[in-house]
Amino acid sequence: MEPPLHELMTDEVTLAVMRRDRLSPDVVWAHVERARAGLRDRELLIQELPPLRKCA
């Protein structure tokens, strides 16, 4: 099982990699939130599509 994202974002190794890559947790969280919003929007669009019809 994978650890929750909030745990990974406070992990010392993760923080060291972010420092090496000149990233801050705030920047990474902003990207995470943007990705989540995109996935939510995509899911809403999929729900609005009519059901697929099977070919005979």
Side-chain angles (χ1 to χ4, degrees), residues 15-54:
L15 293 171
V17 171
M18 284 194 287
R19 280 192 300 274
R20 181 202 65 195
D21 294 341
R22 297 186 178 134
L23 295 169
S24 70
D26 290 340
V27 169
V28 175
W29 277 119
H31 284 283
V32 168
E33 290 305 319
R34 193 172 306 129
R36 285 178 174 164
L39 289 171
R40 279 191 299 270
D41 292 347
R42 182 175 162 183
E43 181 64 27
L44 289 174
L45 287 173
I46 289 171
Q47 290 174 3
E48 293 174 3
L49 293 173
L52 294 176
R53 293 184 355 205
K54 292 183 180 180

